[in-house]
Amino acid sequence: MIPEAFEYFAPSSIQEAISLARRYGGDAKFLSGGHSLLPMMKLRLAAPKYIIDLAGIGELTQISEEGDSLKIGALVTHKAIETSDEIQSRCRLLAEAAFEIGDPQVRSCGTIGGSVAHADPAADYPAALLALDAEVRIEGPSGGRSVRASDFFVDLFTTALQQGELLVAIHVPVLAHNVGTAYKKLRQQASGFALVSAAAVVAKDEGGKCTHIAVGISGVGPKAFRASKVEESLLGKTLTEKNITNASHHVTASVDVQNDIHASAEYRSAMADLFAKNAIWVAANRAE
Amino acid sequence: MAQKYLGQAIKRTEDPKLVSGLGHFVDDIKLPDLHNVCFVRSIHAHARIRGVDTSLAAALPGVVKVFTGEDCRGIGSIPCASSLQGLKVPHHPVLARNKVRYVGEPIVAVVADSLYRARDAAEAVSVDYEPLPAVVDPEQAAAPNSTFVHEEFSDNVAYVWSLVGGDVDQAFKDADRVIKQRMIHQRLVPAAMEPRGVIARFLPGEKELTLWSSTQIPHLMRTQVAIMLGLFENRVRVIAPEVGGGFGSKLNVYGEEALLGFISMQLQKPVKWIETRRENFTATIQGRGQVGDVEIAVKSDGRVLGIRYTVLADLGAYLQLLTPAIPTLTGLMLTGAYRIPNVRMDVTGVFTNKVATDAYRGAGRPEATYIIERAMDLAALEFDLDPVDVRRVNLVSKREFPYATATGLSYDSGNYEAPLKKALKISQYPRWRRHQVKERKKGRYVGVGVSTYVEICALGPSPAMPAGGWESATVRIEPTGKITILTGVSPHGQGQETSFAQIAADMLGVALEDVLVLHGDTGVVQYGIGTFGSRATAVGGTAVYGAIQKILKKGMLLAAHLLGVSRREVQFRDGKFFLKNDPTKSISLQDLALASYTARKLPPDFEPGLAAIYFYEPTNFTFPFGTHVCVVEVARETGTIKILQYVAVDDCGTIVNPLLVEGQIHGGVVQALGQAFMEEAVYDEIGQLITGEFTDYAIPRAGDVPWMQLDRTETPSPVNPLGIKGVGEAGTIGATPALVNAVVDALRPFGVRHVDMPLRPEKIWKLMQKETS
Ligand SMILES: Cc1cc2nc3c(=O)[nH]c(=O)nc-3n(C[C@H](O)[C@H](O)[C@H](O)COP(=O)(O)OP(=O)(O)OC[C@H]3O[C@@H](n4cnc5c(N)ncnc54)[C@H](O)[C@@H]3O)c2cc1C
């Protein structure tokens, strides 16, 4: 690791972190788990002059229940999400997505706040957060605000965060027991990130008709997105394998599909259909 | 000799220090006033250098000096040891001067008082490039209208080499069918866990240059660096401390090694350079890189009468130590384990604007095995025969050894049927074949791949090698009876600190703990050749054996003298010299050693001390062999491959330590899996390495590795007294075709007869989109 020189700060409160960020503006970067930022600094693709390490801000590491949602602090690690009883029993989808991230070392260091703020188009959480209709809680120099996941991910590595704003927590809904969810991922062989991944949240009535469906897709385009065409065509329908298969076509129809040495656009699109179908099918079977 | 340790699964004595972080790799070595070197490397595959401006960099704080190619004119060319007829050897400077010829070629070296300042200064250097068209594809390189990588030559052909045995043209006339197939052996990145690294310290008073380098060949490197720098060889000391993997990539002499020495002499300061992963991808040699056309002449019963292989070898921009020699090893092993009397191989080695290729685990033999083992499957497909039957028809039988191949080798010993039989039994081969038929009807695609390989090891007899193929050992019985072995090989993961101690402990009847194996320091160890080509135990271990024989011979003389009898009346066993007819009269090795050093009572004309040096010259290579069976299922929906079973039955001659053998097979198979399914150095049309980091270059992870069922047969080699053949590369050589054959077999319903590696999911998926036949 041979980065350019930087100055290092370790604030102990959210306010302190925000005021440091305000003071140093575009030259500053928050440091969370470091598992996206440090590799970029090592390659000198990023060279922040000021590093504001969030590790000392205790309140960002909490998972707590707030009304009918779980509040997950920005510094909660992938490992904590994967293994937390609360998340496993109330929002299993997120735990499943966390389990699919990288390897044990990455999961022990990386954090949900860092991953979401980084907005890698092939990261695992975005698909899950979109499907969950999660909210991102932000604090900044001019106060706090909440942004829906669907408004948060703007483009490739670009989010709704303004300069100097700190992501403090993610709010995910506590899911009713009869709601089924599933996360399915096809890994890019080298990086382990998603070549394609699909997160599905499904509820059905007693007759087996779909009463709620949300499908998030990562890895395919410049940002994670909702497969709304698929959702529309399944809502109100019986969740048979045939119906799901028929609906899971053209998942990527309105998306600028990535084409690179790891997969052609053609393969990615086909896999998006397949993994959407698989995720919906498993979620539908888990729904009661 | 007692067999207390030999053949036992003894845990590596190297490991406690390594797993507890107490080992010393180059980067762990601390010297006072150590300065750091960082390189400015070419960002173009091919460009003229119009100018280099180092003024900004030189003015930065902490920067001691900035070296350009001009400053290094006095350093000799980076060596190529190969001497093929007609070989064009371009000048290979340590720092590029007028032209750069691959992305990653070093242009400037910056020295500063910290790593960070050196890196900052390297970024402050500006190089004015005039980009030139890059020669990337080897076929393009061979085309008459191609740009030249080296203007001084009239084309990009570095050499043409042919090997002919028997009467190939007649064989093709006699054939019932001629089968042709183009096969590509993609370029691979060796990806050792520890990248390269060098520390150089010149002591002006002693006039001694010490180099710590992560190398497989400390002695050869010492000689070459001394030549490059114009130093006396005995004033250069090379130390290979712990080396975190080489796989052939450190069987080389690199420009950085000589350059760091030069810088240390110029500045009279110790300097260090540790390769970054990105540099390792672009500036350390790569493996394979052959594009070839294979033709076999086959009879309808599957008998192969002859084989032709016409190949372009993608050498890269410059010749490293053994670059041109690697494809010639492919030629030698082209007929595999089979009785194929007619062979012809034509290699054209071409320059391209890429980093050089050179030895990578297997070095030319995985290519040969892949070709012949794929060809066997193609023959089976052609005549609708079982691939195992085709192999059986062609295998050299155990009565034919030593077997003279059409390529001019003499296979030392073998029983190729034995591991085949065993592997088929363990895998329950017929059951898989039945299963496969059933599964196909259900739309599931199972494939079975077999490879009955033979490889060439224990490199090798000196006449076949550029710089000697022998190996050396000094064995010292210290005055207290402890045993010190100095071996000329340079283990870096193979475990010879353990296995050589096993050999010595049994031969001398001492405890394993009493034996210390030292290696990798030219200031301590007599000249040696090094570790590569699966040679260390077969050749280096035999040198240890030879030295101990010498010691025992001398010990007998002294023992007889001390016991007051004649030499013929003394025997040695279990650490004791004793009288044949009265074993109660004895002297221990320990007492004898002490007596030899105190030297009060020695026979006349007897040299004091108890040590011997032995240089062992093998009379032949050795030829390990085996059978690998792989069963896969390929998912039509995604093209992903699942390994259902992997069986490897290997015969590497006498086994010193089964744990070490299994470790080598495991690692080798995993690297084969990397080549077969995942790995490929991908360059774009302007010669940029797209897969220049682990985010884009896939190597197998723990989760990708199948459970391996290992077994063995043991056919000793007659070449050396211990019967050892070697096993360092067997896994990589035997496994690649088994893996690919299995997948191609699974794809048979889709009319597929061959797929080039790596078999990545999308490639497979595309092939499975059409209807089955
Ligand atoms: C080998 C490896 C494999 C990986 N595999 C995967 C994978 O399979 N799937 C996957 O999803 N990810 C993967 N990752 C990425 C990993 O999950 C990272 O941990 C994550 O993307 C970033 O989280 P972090 O806590 O490490 O953030 P950091 O690296 O510390 O920060 C990332 C960015 O977010 C900003 N930031 C951090 N925290 C905040 C905050 N609270 N508010 C505002 N901005 C903030 C930083 O300034 C920086 O720009 C992998 C990483 C590695 C190294």
Side-chain angles (χ1 to χ4, degrees), chain B residues 221-241:
Chain B
M221 190 192 127
R222 181 188 71 170
T223 307
Q224 293 300 331
V225 168
I227 293 170
M228 288 171 79
L229 296 180
L231 297 174
F232 285 6
E233 183 175 12
N234 50 8
R235 300 268 181 189
V236 180
R237 176 178 177 188
V238 174
I239 301 173

Side-chain angles (χ1 to χ4, degrees), chain B residues 218-366:
Chain B
H219 279 99
L220 299 181
M221 190 192 127
R222 181 188 71 170
T223 307
Q224 293 300 331
V225 168
I227 293 170
M228 288 171 79
L229 296 180
L231 297 174
F232 285 6
E233 183 175 12
N234 50 8
R235 300 268 181 189
V236 180
R237 176 178 177 188
V238 174
I239 301 173
E242 297 295 350
V243 172
F247 312 112
S249 71
K250 297 170 184 174
L251 157 57
N252 231 307
V253 179
Y254 285 99
E256 291 92 346
E257 291 171 322
L259 180 56
L260 269 271
F262 175 81
I263 292 174
S264 179
M265 290 168 67
Q266 292 280 310
L267 303 180
Q268 313 236 326
K269 284 180 193 310
V271 287
K272 162 161 121 176
W273 164 72
I274 301 292
E275 191 181 48
T276 64
R277 183 57 66 184
R278 180 142 269 215
E279 286 179 301
N280 185 260
F281 268 92
T282 54
T284 288
I285 64 98
Q286 297 180 350
R288 319 283 189 257
Q290 290 188 12
V291 180
D293 291 298
V294 186
E295 287 174 89
I296 52 170
V298 200
K299 296 298 271 183
S300 59
D301 62 357
R303 249 182 318 136
V304 179
L305 304 179
I307 180 165
R308 280 197 200 115
Y309 182 47
T310 311
V311 60
L312 277 176
D314 175 358
L315 305 176
Y318 297 98
L319 304 181
Q320 282 283 352
L321 198 62
L322 299 170
T323 302
I326 304 305
T328 66
L329 278 169
T330 306
L332 291 179
M333 294 310 293
L334 207 52
T335 55
Y338 311 108
R339 204 185 299 102
I340 304 177
N342 306 295
V343 60
R344 176 173 186 114
M345 164 155 161
D346 296 287
V347 189
T348 305
V350 291
F351 293 115
T352 54
N353 287 117
K354 293 185 271 189
V355 71
T357 48
D358 205 321
Y360 169 60
R361 202 168 191 175
R365 294 105 88 205

Side-chain angles (χ1 to χ4, degrees), chain A residues 44 188-190 262 264 267, chain B residues 120 637-638 695-696 701 762:
Chain A
R44 297 198 168 200
Q188 192 258 69
Q189 280 182 319
H262 301 296
S264 67
Y267 183 65
Chain B
D120 287 349
E637 282 186 321
T638 55
T695 46
D696 293 310
R701 294 178 164 86
E762 178 169 358

Side-chain angles (χ1 to χ4, degrees), chain B residues 431-743:
Chain B
R431 197 183 66 88
W432 280 119
R433 284 290 177 209
R434 288 194 299 272
H435 181 73
Q436 174 179 46
V437 174
K438 265 192 262 158
E439 291 294 288
R440 268 181 197 160
K441 287 186 189 130
K442 291 189 244 161
R444 298 181 67 138
Y445 301 95
V446 171
V448 188
V450 176
S451 144
T452 46
Y453 75 93
V454 60
E455 57 142 341
I456 179 169
C457 276
L459 274 45
S462 294
M465 306 277 291
W470 46 266
E471 199 44 86
S472 70
T474 297
V475 176
R476 298 196 306 242
I477 320 289
E478 309 291 0
T480 53
K482 301 292 178 217
I483 319 297
T484 307
I485 297 175
L486 314 177
T487 172
V489 302
S490 197
H492 48 281
Q494 296 82 357
Q496 274 94 12
E497 290 178 29
T498 307
S499 58
F500 285 6
Q502 287 177 260
I503 294 172
D506 272 359
M507 287 184 76
L508 294 167
V510 300
L512 194 71
E513 303 74 61
D514 287 349
V515 187
L516 176 69
V517 179
L518 299 178
H519 57 81
D521 182 346
T522 66
V524 171
V525 179
Q526 73 291 336
Y527 208 90
I529 304 297
T531 290
F532 55 88
S534 301
R535 68 190 305 277
T537 310
V539 190
T542 306
V544 171
Y545 176 91
I548 293 176
Q549 291 282 335
K550 267 179 149 177
I551 287 180
L552 289 177
K553 212 165 158 190
K554 182 175 175 185
M556 292 288 211
L557 279 178
L558 181 56
H561 181 72
L562 294 173
L563 293 168
V565 295
S566 83
R567 156 84 184 70
R568 259 166 286 125
E569 288 168 76
V570 182
Q571 249 186 347
F572 177 78
R573 198 185 309 132
D574 292 341
K576 275 201 175 90
F577 296 89
F578 55 89
L579 293 196
K580 269 184 203 158
N581 43 22
D582 183 3
T584 60
K585 294 225 168 64
S586 71
I587 178 165
S588 71
L589 178 70
Q590 204 169 349
D591 290 341
L592 184 101
L594 190 62
S596 78
Y597 286 99
T598 54
R600 287 203 199 95
K601 200 182 160 209
L602 299 181
D605 300 328
F606 189 91
E607 264 182 74
L610 205 52
I613 182 168
Y614 191 86
F615 288 74
Y616 167 65
E617 171 65 45
T619 52
N620 189 5
F621 303 100
T622 61
F623 297 88
F625 55 93
T627 297
H628 289 208
V629 177
C630 173
V631 185
V632 299
E633 179 171 347
V634 184
R636 192 177 186 180
E637 282 186 321
T638 55
T640 44
I641 300 164
K642 189 172 163 200
I643 297 177
L644 304 179
Q645 189 183 38
Y646 199 92
V647 175
V649 181
D650 298 278
D651 190 321
C652 59
T654 306
I655 288 176
V656 177
N657 184 336
L659 214 55
L660 295 179
V661 167
E662 281 175 14
Q664 290 295 325
I665 300 287
H666 285 148
V669 171
V670 173
Q671 273 178 313
L673 182 126
Q675 171 165 23
F677 293 171
M678 308 167 102
E679 297 184 36
E680 181 175 20
V682 181
Y683 287 86
D684 68 9
E685 68 283 357
I686 59 167
Q688 296 290 337
L689 179 63
I690 306 178
T691 53
E693 286 280 342
F694 284 128
T695 46
D696 293 310
Y697 186 89
I699 58 169
R701 294 178 164 86
D704 300 310
V705 176
W707 179 253
M708 293 175 223
Q709 288 168 270
L710 303 191
D711 206 330
R712 59 174 173 268
T713 59
E714 233 173 298
T715 309
S717 170
V719 175
N720 58 66
L722 292 167
I724 295 163
K725 290 198 169 188
V727 71
E729 294 154 293
T732 319
I733 292 166
T736 319
L739 292 156
V740 174
N741 283 345
V743 175

